[in-house]
Every structure is written in structure tokens, then in C-alpha cells.
Amino acid sequence: MRQTRRKFLVQSALGIGAMPFLAAKIRASAVISSGLAEVFKDDFHLGTAISDATLKSDDSTLLNLIAREFNTITAENAMKWEGLQPSVNQFSWKLADDFVNFGRKNNMLTVGHTLVWHSQTPDYVFKNKASPASREILLKRMQHHIGTVIDRYKDSVAVWDVVNEAIEQGKWRRSEWLKIIGEEYFGKAFAFARDADPTAHLIYNDYNMHNPDKQNFVISQVNKCKKMGITVDGVGMECHATLDEGPPVNEIETAIVNFARAGLKVHISELDVDVLPSAWDYQGAEIDVNYDYSEKINPFKNALPRIVSAKLAERYRELFELFVKHRDKITRVSFWGTTDDESWKNDWPVEGRTNYPLLFDRSRSPKDAYFAVRNLKSQ
Ligand code: XIL
């Protein structure tokens, strides 16, 4: 793992997104003997998120599939504040350790997600007994959490999502972090992370990064940090996409180009494609927003119709065509999960639906979308 971490850091310092090997050409009809990451090894790292359920159950079939198909992993929940430090100074490392050990064992690029976020962060963090915590206390807590977590994993984790979802369209999200510390919390988080591991690759992660106001705001904050001597290495564009409602590839492309122009490495960090009808106007990924269930918005309870499966394959094809086109700017493409049954999209933004957003189905077989992506490299 040290090897992978070192290799990644050297490549990213040199500005090389792709892994330095020749791509294999594999036909869709061929028996899958090597994974998708191998197919894209000249282009970017290819990854997935691992859920707590998979880590807890030590699900070896799924873990073997992940080890075969991907060369980078993110913990879906295990490294969030509520998982790592559920109460003041009480750290709970088991799941995160299992996650990092899996990456180490399989020589994978391991991403730490996430250090500072408004969500999945216990209330105590922002409190001092019954009152709100002071700015000073909150900064100390932030520094201590970042320092402790990075220190534990710095031999294995090369990439950190230091700050997550701090920005709404063209302005700061009014999170507790912002309210108590002020906008400097953004730069402070990166500075604390840099102190804890000067060689780590530090990124800002968010959804709806195709939105021009959001992009500009992110870039202006990164530039402000730069002026203060604080380097942000890259951005994570989550890319929670939909089948029919965007974002269109040209808007994703503009974002990739703009971030790269601003000197940032681009990570596609949480890719999935929602195939279900939307019952809302909302297109973000704000996890506190939920909508009521109705049968009308859960039309594929038993199976995904072939025509929708084909549309999904086409959507993934166009996305990967774009990613390959910009392989010089893109360091990593990570899916937000491996098989459809474990996707958060079954329960968000409406609970209890049957969704099909990933490359592997509920029996863990590759879908049409998998082959559409794979075939891009075999023509
Ligand atoms: C989601 C997980 O997938 C769910 O299991 C959890 O209940 C809520 O969080 N943006 C992020 C991710 O950065 O951490 C979120 O993950 C999805 C949106």
C-alpha cells in the first residue's frame, strides 16, 4: 500500500493522471478475467465506495469483486465524524481500520472521506454543554479530529476529502462550521490537514459541481487559500447523475476544464446514475432532504426494463467517453457503490424504492452499463 500511496503522490505531483501501463483491449463477449480498473489503467484510477454493511459482514464475495474490478476505494460512511469520533475524544476505529486494511492488502489507492462536513457530524461537536461551542473550541476540535485521523492512516491513505459540501450554488452553506468559525474554517481545515501530512493529496468534494456559480465560488476560495499559502490539490465532483435530468455532459465538461485551468486535479468522486422518475425539482445530493414514497415513483420494483437498461448503458458510455477525453485532468473516477442493492439511491431522496444506479446488478453480475463502459476501450 505504501507503494501505491507513494506512486500516486509522485504521479499527481508530476501532473500524471493515468497509471503508466498499456491498456488491454477486451471484448464484451470475453470472459471477465481482469477488472475494469485494468482496462482504464492508462487513463485514471477507477474506484468504488465500500459500505459499512460490507465491512461489518466481511462479505467476501463482494469484497473479492471489488478487489478484482477496482484499484481505488472510498469508505461510504466508516470515516465520517460520527463513525470515527461518536463522542468527545472517544474514537472508534474498527470499521475504518478494516476498510484501510482491505485497501492495503489489495494495493489500492485509499481515499479518506471525509474530515469536515455539516452532515453525519454529531451535535456535541458544535456544543459546549448546553450552549454553542466557541470559535476557539470548535477550531481546536477540528484540528484535533483532523490531526488524529490523518495521523493514524497517513501510511495508507493518500487522498483526503478534507472539506465536504461547504458551498451552495454561489455562496457558503450556513453550516455550524460557518456560523461558529466563519468562512476561514475552509482554509483552516486544509491547513490542519497539510500539517498532519504534508505529502497528502487534499481535495474539496461537492455535488452539483457542473453549476457555474458553484464552480466559480469553489475556485475563488481555492485561490484565496493559495494566497495564504494553503494548497488545495484537487476537487471531487461527486457526479450523482440522472438518466434524463442531467447534468448534461457538456456542463460536466465545462466544470472539468475550468477546475483544471484553475490548477486543480479533478476526481469524479461519487458517480451513480439514478434511473427512477424524479418527484421533485431538487437535483442535488443534500442528504437531509427527503420526499414521500409513492408507487408512481417506484416503477421498476421487480426488474429494470431492457429499454431502461440500454438507456443507462448509453448514459454511462457518454460519461466515460467524456472522462477518457479529459484523462489528462482526471485523477480518479469512483462509483458510489458496486452493486445496485447496496446503493444509497434506494433510500434517497425517497425511502424504500428499487433503484439501479450502478454497474452491477442485485445478483452481482455486470450490467449492460458495465459492458458499455468496458467496450469504450476495446474498439
Ligand atoms: C451518503 C451514504 O451513501 C449514505 O449511506 C448515508 O446514509 C448518507 O451519506 N454526498 C457525500 C456522501 O459526500 O458522503 C453521501 O453518502 C452522499 C452525498
Side-chain angles (χ1 to χ4, degrees):
M1 186 56 208
R2 197 65 195 149
Q3 179 61 18
T4 298
R5 189 191 129 92
R6 192 165 47 234
K7 194 163 76 189
F8 172 79
L9 292 170
V10 169
Q11 284 174 353
S12 74
L14 294 173
I16 307 166
M19 300 177 86
F21 306 106
L22 277 177
K25 305 263 182 197
I26 296 156
R27 266 176 276 123
S29 55
V31 175
I32 302 174
S33 56
S34 65
L36 213 53
E38 178 77 8
V39 175
F40 287 93
K41 68 187 175 189
D42 267 352
D43 302 300
F44 31 68
H45 286 80
L46 197 78
T48 191
I50 305 186
S51 72
D52 280 6
T54 303
L55 293 169
K56 278 183 193 150
S57 64
D58 197 16
D59 182 339
S60 57
T61 318
L62 184 53
L63 288 168
N64 288 340
L65 175 68
I66 290 171
R68 187 188 74 198
E69 295 292 337
F70 302 107
N71 56 14
T72 170
I73 47 168
T74 310
E76 186 181 4
N77 288 299
M79 292 184 113
K80 291 171 180 173
W81 195 309
E82 69 178 11
L84 287 181
Q85 196 188 168
S87 49
V88 194
N89 278 332
Q90 301 292 310
F91 285 85
S92 153
W93 301 114
K94 168 86 176 78
L95 281 188
D97 283 358
D98 290 348
F99 163 76
V100 166
N101 287 337
F102 175 77
R104 191 194 282 271
K105 192 174 104 200
N106 293 290
N107 209 26
M108 295 167 120
L109 174 65
T110 303
V111 180
H113 173 79
T114 176
L115 295 165
V116 175
W117 192 22
H118 65 278
S119 194
Q120 294 181 273
T121 303
D123 288 345
Y124 81 78
V125 175
F126 308 107
K127 294 250 161 68
N128 185 17
K129 304 211 174 93
S131 322
S134 65
R135 184 175 192 273
E136 202 188 1
I137 287 181
L138 189 54
L139 275 169
K140 280 222 170 84
R141 277 188 191 145
M142 184 205 262
Q143 181 171 26
H144 180 243
H145 183 82
I146 291 176
T148 309
V149 174
I150 292 190
D151 197 51
R152 185 174 183 90
Y153 296 121
K154 69 175 165 207
D155 284 348
S156 307
V157 174
V159 180
W160 288 99
D161 288 350
V162 177
V163 178
N164 203 34
E165 302 179 349
I167 292 163
E168 286 171 340
Q169 312 308 39
K171 59 179 176 14
W172 290 109
R173 173 190 297 280
R174 300 243 353 117
S175 68
E176 295 305 303
W177 294 109
L178 185 87
K179 285 191 235 163
I180 298 174
I181 300 176
E183 60 183 68
E184 308 86 75
Y185 91 85
F186 184 88
K188 289 275 184 202
F190 281 94
F192 293 151
R194 185 68 68 201
D195 280 351
D197 183 358
T199 64
H201 183 88
L202 304 180
I203 69 181
Y204 172 68
N205 189 58
D206 210 333
Y207 60 84
N208 278 356
M209 294 285 244
H210 60 283
N211 177 288
D213 292 339
K214 198 167 217 176
Q215 255 161 64
N216 292 336
F217 199 84
V218 172
I219 291 170
S220 70
Q221 294 314 319
V222 166
N223 287 340
K224 247 191 218 169
C225 284
K226 206 186 281 170
K227 282 202 188 117
M228 294 185 297
I230 303 165
T231 305
V232 177
D233 298 303
V235 286
M237 297 175 54
E238 292 183 11
C239 260
H240 294 292
T242 69
L243 211 46
D244 298 311
E245 304 192 23
V249 281
N250 65 316
E251 290 182 18
I252 302 177
E253 178 164 37
T254 304
I256 294 170
V257 170
N258 284 344
F259 286 133
R261 264 196 206 129
L264 293 158
K265 293 277 160 209
V266 175
H267 296 242
I268 305 297
S269 55
E270 303 184 12
L271 179 63
D272 51 24
V273 177
D274 193 330
V275 305
L276 297 179
S278 85
W280 53 89
D281 292 330
Y282 185 78
Q283 280 188 37
E286 167 51 55
I287 67 165
D288 297 333
V289 180
N290 271 285
Y291 295 83
D292 288 340
Y293 177 89
S294 80
E295 291 290 316
K296 213 173 71 211
I297 54 169
N298 190 22
F300 312 134
K301 268 195 290 193
N302 300 321
L304 186 64
R306 292 190 71 151
I307 188 161
V308 187
S309 176
K311 264 179 94 173
L312 178 68
E314 171 53 24
R315 179 74 163 127
Y316 266 115
R317 193 202 56 74
E318 67 169 15
L319 286 167
F320 269 79
E321 197 171 60
L322 176 73
F323 300 152
V324 170
K325 178 176 171 196
H326 293 288
R327 57 196 282 274
D328 59 325
K329 307 170 188 67
I330 297 178
T331 301
R332 166 178 68 107
V333 177
S334 288
F335 296 90
W336 204 237
T338 305
T339 62
D340 285 337
D341 53 312
E342 45 153 21
S343 168
W344 75 307
K345 283 287 177 174
N346 293 302
D347 290 304
W348 189 90
V350 180
E351 242 180 85
R353 297 195 299 172
T354 307
N355 213 331
Y356 301 82
L358 298 167
L359 294 195
F360 293 85
D361 67 18
R362 286 172 165 74
S363 61
R364 299 178 171 175
S365 300
K367 294 157 61 178
D368 294 344
Y370 175 94
F371 291 108
V373 168
R374 196 168 178 119
N375 277 350
L376 260 181
K377 298 294 290 185
S378 56
Q379 275 143 27

